[in-house]
Amino acid sequence: MTRSRRWEQALLGGLLCGGLLGALLGGCAPAESPTSPRSPAPPAVTADPTRPDLVLLLPSGLRADPPGVPGPEARFIDALGAPTRRFTAAYAQSAATYVSLGSLFTGRYPTSIPLCGLFMDGVSAVETRMVQGNALANRLWCADIPAAVPTLPEVLALYGYRTAFAVAGVTGAETLGRGFQEVETIAFSADTGTDWPALLRWAGGWWSENADAPRLLVVTTADTQVVDRPKVLDRMGIRLMLDESMPVFNPGRTDADPATVATVFGDVAHDAGAGLASVVGALAAAPSGRARWVFATATNGVSLIEPTGFFDMPVPIASTSFMLDRTARVPLLVYAPPAVAGGMHPAESGRVVELLDLFPTLAGLAGAVAPARLPGADLFAGPVAGTGDEYAYAEFGDTLLYREGTYELLFRGYLHHGTVLDPQLDERLRDPASQKYFTVHEVMRDPWQKENLVFSQAGKFQELRAAMTGVRTGPGAPPAGTWDDPQRLWEIRMARSHGYW
Protein backbone atom coordinates (compact mmCIF):
# COMPACT_ATOMS: atom_id res chain seq x y z
CA MET A 1 0.00 0.00 0.00
CA THR A 2 1.41 3.38 -0.89
CA ARG A 3 1.11 6.21 1.60
CA SER A 4 -1.42 8.31 -0.31
CA ARG A 5 -3.70 10.40 1.88
CA ARG A 6 -2.66 8.27 4.85
CA TRP A 7 -4.64 10.28 7.36
CA GLU A 8 -7.84 9.12 5.63
CA GLN A 9 -6.59 5.53 5.71
CA ALA A 10 -5.69 5.87 9.37
CA LEU A 11 -9.20 7.03 10.21
CA LEU A 12 -10.64 4.11 8.25
CA GLY A 13 -8.32 1.74 10.05
CA GLY A 14 -9.52 3.12 13.36
CA LEU A 15 -13.11 2.39 12.41
CA LEU A 16 -12.29 -1.13 11.26
CA CYS A 17 -10.20 -2.02 14.30
CA GLY A 18 -12.71 -3.60 16.60
CA GLY A 19 -14.73 -6.76 17.02
CA LEU A 20 -14.39 -9.73 14.69
CA LEU A 21 -13.48 -7.64 11.64
CA GLY A 22 -10.62 -6.05 13.52
CA ALA A 23 -9.40 -9.45 14.61
CA LEU A 24 -9.52 -10.74 11.04
CA LEU A 25 -7.61 -7.71 9.75
CA GLY A 26 -4.97 -8.14 12.41
CA GLY A 27 -2.63 -5.57 13.86
CA CYS A 28 -5.40 -3.54 15.52
CA ALA A 29 -4.84 -2.10 18.95
CA PRO A 30 -6.82 0.21 21.20
CA ALA A 31 -5.98 3.89 21.18
CA GLU A 32 -3.65 4.86 24.00
CA SER A 33 -3.28 8.07 25.95
CA PRO A 34 0.16 9.29 27.06
CA THR A 35 -0.59 8.17 30.61
CA SER A 36 -2.12 4.78 29.88
CA PRO A 37 -0.12 1.78 31.10
CA ARG A 38 1.71 -0.36 28.62
CA SER A 39 0.00 -3.61 27.71
CA PRO A 40 2.06 -6.67 28.61
CA ALA A 41 4.52 -7.31 25.80
CA PRO A 42 4.20 -10.61 23.97
CA PRO A 43 7.04 -13.01 24.65
CA ALA A 44 10.09 -12.64 22.44
CA VAL A 45 10.48 -15.25 19.75
CA THR A 46 13.59 -17.12 18.79
CA ALA A 47 15.60 -15.16 16.26
CA ASP A 48 15.15 -16.18 12.64
CA PRO A 49 18.75 -16.53 11.42
CA THR A 50 17.68 -15.79 7.85
CA ARG A 51 16.50 -12.28 8.66
CA PRO A 52 18.86 -9.52 7.54
CA ASP A 53 21.03 -7.24 9.59
CA LEU A 54 19.84 -3.61 9.56
CA VAL A 55 22.03 -0.51 9.84
CA LEU A 56 20.66 3.01 10.08
CA LEU A 57 23.08 5.95 9.70
CA LEU A 58 21.67 9.27 10.96
CA PRO A 59 23.88 12.34 10.66
CA SER A 60 22.08 15.49 11.80
CA GLY A 61 21.95 18.72 9.82
CA LEU A 62 22.63 17.27 6.35
CA ARG A 63 20.06 18.80 4.01
CA ALA A 64 19.25 17.36 0.58
CA ASP A 65 20.63 19.03 -2.52
CA PRO A 66 18.27 21.17 -4.64
CA PRO A 67 17.03 19.38 -7.78
CA GLY A 68 19.82 19.15 -10.34
CA VAL A 69 22.34 21.09 -8.25
CA PRO A 70 25.00 18.84 -6.63
CA GLY A 71 25.99 20.06 -3.18
CA PRO A 72 26.76 18.63 0.28
CA GLU A 73 24.50 15.62 -0.28
CA ALA A 74 26.49 14.72 -3.42
CA ARG A 75 29.75 15.09 -1.50
CA PHE A 76 28.36 12.86 1.26
CA ILE A 77 27.44 10.20 -1.31
CA ASP A 78 30.89 10.45 -2.93
CA ALA A 79 32.41 9.40 0.39
CA LEU A 80 29.80 6.88 1.54
CA GLY A 81 29.31 5.22 -1.86
CA ALA A 82 26.64 5.10 -4.55
CA PRO A 83 23.33 3.83 -3.13
CA THR A 84 21.12 1.14 -4.57
CA ARG A 85 18.23 3.60 -4.36
CA ARG A 86 18.13 7.30 -3.59
CA PHE A 87 14.90 9.03 -2.55
CA THR A 88 15.14 12.68 -3.63
CA ALA A 89 11.97 13.91 -1.90
CA ALA A 90 12.40 12.56 1.63
CA TYR A 91 11.28 14.64 4.60
CA ALA A 92 12.12 14.58 8.30
CA GLN A 93 9.22 15.21 10.67
CA SER A 94 11.00 17.94 12.64
CA ALA A 95 13.82 20.43 12.17
CA ALA A 96 15.03 19.56 15.69
CA THR A 97 17.36 16.57 15.88
CA TYR A 98 16.00 15.40 19.22
CA VAL A 99 12.36 15.52 18.14
CA SER A 100 13.10 14.02 14.73
CA LEU A 101 14.82 11.03 16.34
CA GLY A 102 11.81 10.43 18.58
CA SER A 103 9.50 10.56 15.58
CA LEU A 104 11.66 8.16 13.60
CA PHE A 105 11.98 5.68 16.47
CA THR A 106 8.20 5.59 17.02
CA GLY A 107 6.96 6.01 13.42
CA ARG A 108 4.68 8.87 14.51
CA TYR A 109 4.38 12.61 14.04
CA PRO A 110 5.85 14.50 17.03
CA THR A 111 2.59 15.94 18.41
CA SER A 112 0.88 12.57 18.14
CA ILE A 113 3.49 10.93 20.41
CA PRO A 114 3.43 13.64 22.03
CA LEU A 115 7.08 14.69 22.01
CA CYS A 116 8.65 18.11 22.44
CA GLY A 117 12.28 19.07 22.88
CA LEU A 118 14.44 20.21 25.77
CA PHE A 119 14.71 23.47 27.66
CA MET A 120 16.82 25.83 25.58
CA ASP A 121 18.33 29.27 26.02
CA GLY A 122 17.97 31.83 23.25
CA VAL A 123 16.04 32.31 20.03
CA SER A 124 18.01 29.66 18.14
CA ALA A 125 16.35 27.16 20.36
CA VAL A 126 17.29 23.87 18.73
CA GLU A 127 21.00 24.63 18.48
CA THR A 128 22.60 22.30 20.98
CA ARG A 129 25.33 24.78 21.89
CA MET A 130 22.51 26.83 23.44
CA VAL A 131 21.16 24.02 25.62
CA GLN A 132 20.99 24.91 29.28
CA GLY A 133 23.15 22.89 31.59
CA ASN A 134 20.10 21.48 33.38
CA ALA A 135 18.16 20.74 30.16
CA LEU A 136 17.98 16.99 30.72
CA ALA A 137 17.26 17.10 34.45
CA ASN A 138 14.55 19.75 34.14
CA ARG A 139 12.90 18.70 30.91
CA LEU A 140 9.13 18.93 30.51
CA TRP A 141 6.62 16.10 30.67
CA CYS A 142 6.58 15.92 26.86
CA ALA A 143 10.35 15.59 26.38
CA ASP A 144 10.33 11.78 26.65
CA ILE A 145 8.69 9.05 24.60
CA PRO A 146 5.65 7.94 26.64
CA ALA A 147 5.76 4.41 28.00
CA ALA A 148 2.59 3.56 26.07
CA VAL A 149 4.26 4.25 22.71
CA PRO A 150 6.28 1.31 21.34
CA THR A 151 9.65 1.98 19.74
CA LEU A 152 11.37 0.36 16.78
CA PRO A 153 14.02 -1.46 18.84
CA GLU A 154 11.36 -2.77 21.21
CA VAL A 155 9.39 -4.23 18.32
CA LEU A 156 12.41 -5.80 16.61
CA ALA A 157 13.64 -7.25 19.91
CA LEU A 158 10.41 -9.25 20.07
CA TYR A 159 11.57 -10.97 16.90
CA GLY A 160 14.98 -11.86 18.22
CA TYR A 161 16.94 -8.85 17.02
CA ARG A 162 19.95 -7.54 18.93
CA THR A 163 19.78 -3.74 18.99
CA ALA A 164 22.25 -0.93 19.68
CA PHE A 165 22.34 2.85 19.39
CA ALA A 166 25.55 4.90 19.13
CA VAL A 167 25.36 8.66 19.69
CA ALA A 168 28.04 11.26 18.97
CA GLY A 169 27.35 14.90 19.74
CA VAL A 170 23.54 14.93 19.81
CA THR A 171 22.49 16.34 23.17
CA GLY A 172 19.95 14.20 25.00
CA ALA A 173 19.64 11.55 22.27
CA GLU A 174 20.45 8.80 24.76
CA THR A 175 17.18 9.50 26.56
CA LEU A 176 15.35 8.42 23.40
CA GLY A 177 17.09 5.07 23.36
CA ARG A 178 14.38 3.16 25.22
CA GLY A 179 14.24 -0.37 23.89
CA PHE A 180 17.81 -0.52 22.62
CA GLN A 181 19.72 -3.24 24.40
CA GLU A 182 22.86 -1.14 24.31
CA VAL A 183 23.29 2.64 24.04
CA GLU A 184 26.81 4.01 23.61
CA THR A 185 27.91 7.63 23.83
CA ILE A 186 30.87 8.38 21.56
CA ALA A 187 33.19 11.33 22.21
CA PHE A 188 32.43 14.39 20.07
CA SER A 189 34.08 17.79 19.79
CA ALA A 190 32.39 20.81 18.24
CA ASP A 191 35.81 21.68 16.81
CA THR A 192 36.94 18.32 15.41
CA GLY A 193 33.71 16.28 15.24
CA THR A 194 33.17 12.61 16.03
CA ASP A 195 35.94 10.47 17.48
CA TRP A 196 35.75 8.05 14.57
CA PRO A 197 38.40 5.56 15.85
CA ALA A 198 36.42 5.20 19.09
CA LEU A 199 33.19 4.68 17.18
CA LEU A 200 34.82 2.10 14.90
CA ARG A 201 36.20 0.14 17.85
CA TRP A 202 32.87 0.07 19.63
CA ALA A 203 30.74 -0.69 16.53
CA GLY A 204 33.04 -3.46 15.33
CA GLY A 205 33.17 -5.00 18.79
CA TRP A 206 29.41 -4.92 19.32
CA TRP A 207 28.79 -6.31 15.83
CA SER A 208 31.14 -9.26 16.43
CA GLU A 209 29.76 -10.03 19.88
CA ASN A 210 26.20 -10.28 18.54
CA ALA A 211 26.82 -12.21 15.34
CA ASP A 212 24.61 -15.12 16.41
CA ALA A 213 21.39 -13.15 15.77
CA PRO A 214 20.12 -10.53 13.33
CA ARG A 215 21.16 -7.04 14.41
CA LEU A 216 19.83 -3.47 14.30
CA LEU A 217 22.53 -0.82 14.66
CA VAL A 218 21.63 2.89 14.67
CA VAL A 219 24.38 5.52 14.54
CA THR A 220 23.69 9.24 14.87
CA THR A 221 26.38 11.93 14.73
CA ALA A 222 26.37 15.73 14.82
CA ASP A 223 29.22 16.37 12.38
CA THR A 224 26.98 17.98 9.74
CA GLN A 225 24.94 19.96 12.28
CA VAL A 226 27.04 22.98 11.38
CA VAL A 227 24.86 25.46 13.32
CA ASP A 228 26.25 23.84 16.48
CA ARG A 229 29.88 24.03 15.35
CA PRO A 230 31.13 27.63 15.72
CA LYS A 231 34.49 27.01 14.07
CA VAL A 232 32.79 25.52 11.01
CA LEU A 233 30.54 28.57 10.77
CA ASP A 234 33.63 30.72 11.09
CA ARG A 235 35.26 28.87 8.19
CA MET A 236 32.11 29.51 6.18
CA GLY A 237 32.35 33.21 6.98
CA ILE A 238 28.95 33.16 8.67
CA ARG A 239 29.09 35.91 11.26
CA LEU A 240 26.26 38.00 12.60
CA MET A 241 26.47 41.65 11.56
CA LEU A 242 25.65 44.60 13.78
CA ASP A 243 22.33 46.21 12.95
CA GLU A 244 22.81 49.66 11.46
CA SER A 245 20.23 51.28 13.73
CA MET A 246 20.71 49.40 16.99
CA PRO A 247 23.80 48.17 18.87
CA VAL A 248 22.62 44.57 18.75
CA PHE A 249 23.29 41.65 16.49
CA ASN A 250 20.83 41.14 13.66
CA PRO A 251 20.34 37.41 13.02
CA GLY A 252 19.10 38.15 9.49
CA ARG A 253 22.28 39.80 8.17
CA THR A 254 25.58 38.24 7.17
CA ASP A 255 28.34 38.99 4.69
CA ALA A 256 29.20 35.32 4.05
CA ASP A 257 30.17 34.37 0.50
CA PRO A 258 27.74 31.71 -0.86
CA ALA A 259 30.51 29.85 -2.68
CA THR A 260 32.59 29.59 0.49
CA VAL A 261 29.60 28.42 2.49
CA ALA A 262 28.87 25.70 -0.10
CA THR A 263 32.49 24.56 -0.25
CA VAL A 264 32.90 24.25 3.51
CA PHE A 265 29.53 22.53 3.94
CA GLY A 266 30.49 20.10 1.18
CA ASP A 267 33.82 19.33 2.86
CA VAL A 268 32.11 18.66 6.21
CA ALA A 269 29.52 16.42 4.51
CA HIS A 270 32.27 14.49 2.70
CA ASP A 271 34.17 13.93 5.94
CA ALA A 272 31.00 12.71 7.66
CA GLY A 273 30.29 10.34 4.77
CA ALA A 274 33.83 8.99 4.95
CA GLY A 275 33.52 8.46 8.70
CA LEU A 276 30.24 6.59 8.37
CA ALA A 277 31.66 4.54 5.47
CA SER A 278 34.44 3.45 7.82
CA VAL A 279 31.81 2.34 10.34
CA VAL A 280 30.14 0.18 7.69
CA GLY A 281 33.58 -1.14 6.77
CA ALA A 282 34.19 -2.13 10.39
CA LEU A 283 30.99 -4.17 10.30
CA ALA A 284 32.05 -5.87 7.08
CA ALA A 285 35.24 -6.96 8.84
CA ALA A 286 33.08 -9.16 11.08
CA PRO A 287 30.92 -11.05 8.56
CA SER A 288 28.12 -13.37 9.64
CA GLY A 289 26.92 -14.59 6.26
CA ARG A 290 23.66 -12.73 6.87
CA ALA A 291 22.29 -10.23 4.35
CA ARG A 292 22.70 -6.60 5.38
CA TRP A 293 20.65 -3.51 4.55
CA VAL A 294 22.11 -0.06 5.19
CA PHE A 295 19.95 3.08 5.26
CA ALA A 296 21.54 6.54 5.42
CA THR A 297 19.52 9.68 6.00
CA ALA A 298 19.62 12.76 8.25
CA THR A 299 17.49 13.71 11.21
CA ASN A 300 17.07 17.24 9.82
CA GLY A 301 18.44 19.75 7.38
CA VAL A 302 19.60 23.32 7.99
CA SER A 303 19.08 26.88 6.79
CA LEU A 304 22.37 28.75 6.42
CA ILE A 305 22.42 32.11 4.63
CA GLU A 306 19.20 31.74 2.64
CA PRO A 307 16.71 34.37 3.91
CA THR A 308 13.57 33.33 2.00
CA GLY A 309 10.53 31.23 2.88
CA PHE A 310 8.38 33.28 5.23
CA PHE A 311 5.64 35.71 4.29
CA ASP A 312 7.11 39.09 5.24
CA MET A 313 10.34 38.62 7.17
CA PRO A 314 13.75 37.02 6.54
CA VAL A 315 14.72 33.66 7.98
CA PRO A 316 17.50 34.05 10.59
CA ILE A 317 20.89 32.85 9.42
CA ALA A 318 22.42 29.53 10.52
CA SER A 319 19.22 28.12 11.98
CA THR A 320 17.27 24.91 12.36
CA SER A 321 14.54 26.59 14.38
CA PHE A 322 11.88 26.63 11.66
CA MET A 323 10.18 24.23 9.25
CA LEU A 324 11.37 25.05 5.73
CA ASP A 325 12.08 22.84 2.77
CA ARG A 326 15.80 23.09 3.47
CA THR A 327 15.42 22.12 7.13
CA ALA A 328 13.03 19.23 6.40
CA ARG A 329 14.12 17.68 3.10
CA VAL A 330 17.01 15.29 3.73
CA PRO A 331 18.95 12.61 1.88
CA LEU A 332 17.55 9.09 2.05
CA LEU A 333 19.87 6.44 0.67
CA VAL A 334 19.35 2.68 0.58
CA TYR A 335 22.19 0.16 0.24
CA ALA A 336 20.64 -3.22 -0.46
CA PRO A 337 22.32 -6.64 -0.20
CA PRO A 338 23.93 -7.80 -3.48
CA ALA A 339 21.30 -10.49 -3.99
CA VAL A 340 18.57 -7.82 -4.02
CA ALA A 341 20.36 -4.79 -5.42
CA GLY A 342 20.33 -6.02 -9.01
CA GLY A 343 16.53 -5.97 -9.13
CA MET A 344 16.04 -2.51 -7.64
CA HIS A 345 15.56 -0.25 -10.63
CA PRO A 346 15.44 2.63 -11.19
CA ALA A 347 18.10 3.80 -8.75
CA GLU A 348 16.42 7.15 -8.08
CA SER A 349 12.91 7.80 -6.79
CA GLY A 350 11.18 11.18 -6.73
CA ARG A 351 8.27 9.86 -4.68
CA VAL A 352 7.46 12.03 -1.66
CA VAL A 353 8.36 9.97 1.42
CA GLU A 354 8.91 10.60 5.12
CA LEU A 355 11.42 9.38 7.68
CA LEU A 356 8.60 7.82 9.70
CA ASP A 357 8.27 5.43 6.72
CA LEU A 358 11.47 3.80 7.98
CA PHE A 359 9.63 2.11 10.89
CA PRO A 360 7.32 -0.02 8.72
CA THR A 361 10.11 -0.53 6.17
CA LEU A 362 12.60 -1.90 8.68
CA ALA A 363 9.88 -3.89 10.44
CA GLY A 364 8.95 -5.45 7.10
CA LEU A 365 12.54 -6.45 6.37
CA ALA A 366 12.79 -7.96 9.85
CA GLY A 367 9.58 -9.96 9.41
CA ALA A 368 8.01 -8.00 12.26
CA VAL A 369 4.50 -6.64 12.62
CA ALA A 370 4.56 -2.87 13.10
CA PRO A 371 2.20 -1.23 15.63
CA ALA A 372 -1.33 -0.60 14.41
CA ARG A 373 -2.30 2.54 12.53
CA LEU A 374 1.13 4.03 12.02
CA PRO A 375 0.88 6.73 9.34
CA GLY A 376 3.98 5.58 7.44
CA ALA A 377 4.27 3.01 4.67
CA ASP A 378 6.93 0.57 3.49
CA LEU A 379 9.35 2.41 1.20
CA PHE A 380 9.40 -0.59 -1.10
CA ALA A 381 5.62 -0.82 -1.48
CA GLY A 382 3.95 0.77 -4.47
CA PRO A 383 5.50 2.27 -7.59
CA VAL A 384 8.93 3.90 -7.34
CA ALA A 385 7.54 7.11 -8.82
CA GLY A 386 4.53 7.11 -6.50
CA THR A 387 0.95 7.79 -7.49
CA GLY A 388 1.16 11.58 -7.28
CA ASP A 389 -0.78 12.29 -4.09
CA GLU A 390 1.76 11.13 -1.49
CA TYR A 391 2.51 13.81 1.06
CA ALA A 392 5.00 14.85 3.70
CA TYR A 393 4.22 16.67 6.94
CA ALA A 394 6.62 18.22 9.45
CA GLU A 395 6.30 20.44 12.51
CA PHE A 396 8.47 22.35 14.93
CA GLY A 397 8.24 25.46 17.10
CA ASP A 398 5.42 27.55 15.68
CA THR A 399 5.85 26.27 12.11
CA LEU A 400 4.22 23.50 10.07
CA LEU A 401 5.14 22.14 6.63
CA TYR A 402 3.06 20.15 4.17
CA ARG A 403 4.22 18.95 0.76
CA GLU A 404 2.14 17.18 -1.86
CA GLY A 405 3.27 16.77 -5.45
CA THR A 406 5.51 19.68 -6.42
CA TYR A 407 3.86 22.16 -4.05
CA GLU A 408 4.69 22.93 -0.45
CA LEU A 409 2.74 24.89 2.14
CA LEU A 410 4.42 26.56 5.11
CA PHE A 411 2.49 27.82 8.13
CA ARG A 412 3.99 30.00 10.83
CA GLY A 413 1.78 30.78 13.79
CA TYR A 414 3.98 33.52 15.26
CA LEU A 415 3.81 32.14 18.80
CA HIS A 416 7.04 33.54 20.19
CA HIS A 417 9.04 30.60 21.54
CA GLY A 418 5.92 28.48 21.19
CA THR A 419 5.68 24.75 20.68
CA VAL A 420 3.58 22.87 18.14
CA LEU A 421 1.82 21.08 20.98
CA ASP A 422 0.06 24.32 21.94
CA PRO A 423 -3.64 24.24 20.84
CA GLN A 424 -3.37 27.97 20.12
CA LEU A 425 -1.49 27.01 16.98
CA ASP A 426 -4.59 25.19 15.74
CA GLU A 427 -6.70 28.30 16.30
CA ARG A 428 -4.41 30.29 14.02
CA LEU A 429 -4.28 27.48 11.49
CA ARG A 430 -8.10 27.57 11.19
CA ASP A 431 -8.45 31.37 11.27
CA PRO A 432 -9.95 32.35 7.87
CA ALA A 433 -8.21 35.75 8.05
CA SER A 434 -4.75 34.28 8.65
CA GLN A 435 -3.32 34.27 5.12
CA LYS A 436 -0.29 36.17 6.40
CA TYR A 437 0.69 33.03 8.29
CA PHE A 438 1.12 31.00 5.08
CA THR A 439 3.40 30.72 2.08
CA VAL A 440 3.02 28.38 -0.91
CA HIS A 441 5.95 27.37 -3.10
CA GLU A 442 6.55 25.11 -6.06
CA VAL A 443 9.67 23.61 -4.54
CA MET A 444 10.90 21.60 -7.53
CA ARG A 445 11.65 24.83 -9.42
CA ASP A 446 11.91 27.11 -6.37
CA PRO A 447 13.76 25.11 -3.68
CA TRP A 448 14.80 28.20 -1.71
CA GLN A 449 11.14 29.26 -1.51
CA LYS A 450 11.54 32.75 -2.92
CA GLU A 451 8.18 33.05 -4.73
CA ASN A 452 5.06 33.00 -2.58
CA LEU A 453 2.05 31.66 -4.53
CA VAL A 454 -0.60 32.18 -1.83
CA PHE A 455 -2.41 34.85 -3.81
CA SER A 456 -1.60 33.89 -7.41
CA GLN A 457 -2.72 30.29 -6.82
CA ALA A 458 -5.46 30.77 -4.26
CA GLY A 459 -7.20 27.51 -5.16
CA LYS A 460 -4.05 25.44 -4.63
CA PHE A 461 -3.43 27.29 -1.36
CA GLN A 462 -6.85 26.38 0.02
CA GLU A 463 -6.44 22.77 -1.11
CA LEU A 464 -3.07 22.48 0.64
CA ARG A 465 -4.36 24.24 3.73
CA ALA A 466 -7.24 21.78 4.04
CA ALA A 467 -4.83 18.87 3.61
CA MET A 468 -2.42 20.25 6.23
CA THR A 469 -5.31 20.70 8.65
CA GLY A 470 -6.42 17.13 7.93
CA VAL A 471 -3.06 15.74 9.00
CA ARG A 472 -2.79 18.08 11.97
CA THR A 473 -6.21 16.95 13.28
CA GLY A 474 -5.80 13.33 12.13
CA PRO A 475 -2.61 11.27 12.45
CA GLY A 476 -0.71 14.35 13.68
CA ALA A 477 -3.11 15.13 16.54
CA PRO A 478 -2.17 14.64 20.20
CA PRO A 479 -3.49 11.49 21.89
CA ALA A 480 -6.86 11.64 23.57
CA GLY A 481 -6.55 12.99 27.09
CA THR A 482 -3.38 14.98 26.49
CA TRP A 483 -4.93 18.19 27.81
CA ASP A 484 -7.15 16.68 30.51
CA ASP A 485 -4.62 18.04 33.00
CA PRO A 486 -4.49 21.84 32.49
CA GLN A 487 -1.16 21.90 34.32
CA ARG A 488 0.44 20.41 31.21
CA LEU A 489 -0.71 23.26 29.00
CA TRP A 490 0.39 25.79 31.60
CA GLU A 491 3.85 24.22 31.68
CA ILE A 492 4.49 24.33 27.96
CA ARG A 493 3.35 27.96 27.82
CA MET A 494 5.28 29.13 30.84
CA ALA A 495 8.41 27.41 29.57
CA ARG A 496 8.52 29.92 26.70
CA SER A 497 10.09 32.41 29.09
CA HIS A 498 13.13 30.14 29.16
CA GLY A 499 13.47 30.17 25.39
CA TYR A 500 11.66 26.87 25.06
CA TRP A 501 10.48 25.48 21.73
Side-chain angles (χ1 to χ4, degrees):
M1 179 180 69
T2 59
R3 54 180 196 89
S4 305
R5 298 288 189 189
R6 292 169 301 163
W7 63 273
E8 295 173 350
Q9 295 168 354
L11 291 176
L12 177 61
L15 294 174
L16 293 177
C17 287
L20 180 59
L21 182 56
L24 291 174
L25 290 173
C28 295
E32 298 171 315
S33 74
T35 57
S36 62
R38 286 291 299 273
S39 300
V45 302
T46 303
D48 181 350
T50 67
R51 288 297 174 182
D53 291 320
L54 304 171
V55 180
L56 181 55
L57 308 175
L58 292 171
S60 62
L62 180 60
R63 68 189 188 192
D65 291 342
V69 183
E73 179 185 9
R75 296 289 309 283
F76 179 80
I77 293 173
D78 285 344
L80 185 60
T84 310
R85 177 161 294 165
R86 175 187 178 193
F87 291 90
T88 60
Y91 285 80
Q93 272 50 76
S94 177
T97 300
Y98 183 88
V99 180
S100 180
L101 276 173
S103 172
L104 192 156
F105 287 162
T106 60
R108 303 173 188 232
Y109 296 114
T111 297
S112 72
I113 296 174
L115 184 69
C116 55
L118 302 173
F119 278 99
M120 305 294 181
D121 180 22
V123 174
S124 298
V126 299
E127 300 175 14
T128 55
R129 70 173 182 269
M130 307 297 282
V131 175
Q132 295 179 6
N134 62 352
L136 290 174
N138 293 341
R139 61 190 183 271
L140 283 185
W141 60 271
C142 53
D144 293 287
I145 298 174
V149 177
T151 66
L152 176 65
E154 286 178 322
V155 171
L156 295 196
L158 296 175
Y159 292 82
Y161 268 74
R162 309 285 174 79
T163 63
F165 180 31
V167 180
V170 179
T171 301
E174 299 87 348
T175 66
L176 299 172
R178 196 193 76 219
F180 284 99
Q181 295 152 358
E182 189 164 344
V183 177
E184 182 73 8
T185 301
I186 305 297
F188 181 88
S189 164
D191 293 342
T192 59
T194 296
D195 184 343
W196 293 108
L199 177 54
L200 293 180
R201 287 192 299 272
W202 175 83
W206 180 84
W207 198 257
S208 296
E209 293 166 5
N210 292 276
D212 59 334
R215 295 157 287 194
L216 167 68
L217 173 64
V218 179
V219 177
T220 185
T221 68
D223 295 80
T224 50
Q225 186 82 344
V226 294
V227 296
D228 297 336
R229 303 188 64 187
K231 287 192 174 181
V232 174
L233 293 179
D234 191 61
R235 285 164 50 199
M236 290 178 168
I238 295 180
R239 304 174 185 89
L240 298 180
M241 296 175 64
L242 282 173
D243 190 282
E244 295 173 354
S245 60
M246 299 178 63
V248 296
F249 285 109
N250 184 334
R253 300 180 67 235
T254 178
D255 58 356
D257 172 51
T260 301
V261 172
T263 297
V264 173
F265 198 4
D267 290 344
V268 171
H270 183 275
D271 291 346
L276 292 170
S278 67
V279 173
V280 176
L283 308 184
S288 65
R290 195 177 295 110
R292 184 184 67 208
W293 289 80
V294 178
F295 294 78
T297 183
T299 57
N300 57 280
V302 64
S303 182
L304 292 173
I305 60 173
E306 307 84 10
T308 50
F310 293 146
F311 190 91
D312 58 359
M313 65 177 293
V315 175
I317 65 168
S319 176
T320 55
S321 295
F322 308 95
M323 293 314 315
L324 299 154
D325 194 71
R326 53 191 177 270
T327 63
R329 195 166 66 85
V330 293
L332 179 52
L333 315 171
V334 180
Y335 299 83
V340 179
M344 291 183 64
H345 296 291
E348 189 169 291
S349 171
R351 189 172 95 205
V352 177
V353 299
E354 299 179 305
L355 293 196
L356 52 72
D357 294 332
L358 286 168
F359 196 132
T361 301
L362 295 173
L365 291 172
V369 176
R373 300 192 296 281
L374 291 184
D378 193 323
L379 290 169
F380 305 129
V384 173
T387 57
D389 62 350
E390 293 86 4
Y391 71 83
Y393 174 78
E395 53 182 17
F396 184 66
D398 62 351
T399 55
L400 306 177
L401 176 151
Y402 179 88
R403 176 174 172 183
E404 185 174 329
T406 63
Y407 288 91
E408 187 167 287
L409 176 69
L410 298 181
F411 167 75
R412 186 176 183 190
Y414 293 95
L415 299 177
H416 184 58
H417 286 189
T419 168
V420 288
L421 269 65
D422 196 323
Q424 189 176 357
L425 201 68
D426 297 274
E427 296 173 11
R428 298 192 176 184
L429 179 63
R430 295 190 299 265
D431 182 357
S434 63
Q435 287 189 347
K436 68 178 182 179
Y437 299 144
F438 295 91
T439 56
V440 174
H441 307 275
E442 196 172 359
V443 289
M444 291 298 291
R445 66 171 180 82
D446 180 25
W448 304 120
Q449 299 170 292
K450 297 178 180 180
E451 183 183 3
N452 183 10
L453 306 176
V454 161
F455 299 109
S456 62
Q457 297 201 31
K460 174 59 70 173
F461 162 54
Q462 294 299 340
E463 176 187 330
L464 294 170
R465 182 177 182 173
M468 174 186 277
T469 304
V471 181
R472 173 77 177 170
T473 58
T482 297
W483 304 120
D484 287 352
D485 181 356
Q487 177 72 17
R488 287 183 163 187
L489 185 57
W490 182 89
E491 288 177 0
I492 66 168
R493 287 178 172 173
M494 292 301 101
R496 291 190 206 171
S497 63
H498 301 285
Y500 180 74
W501 279 81

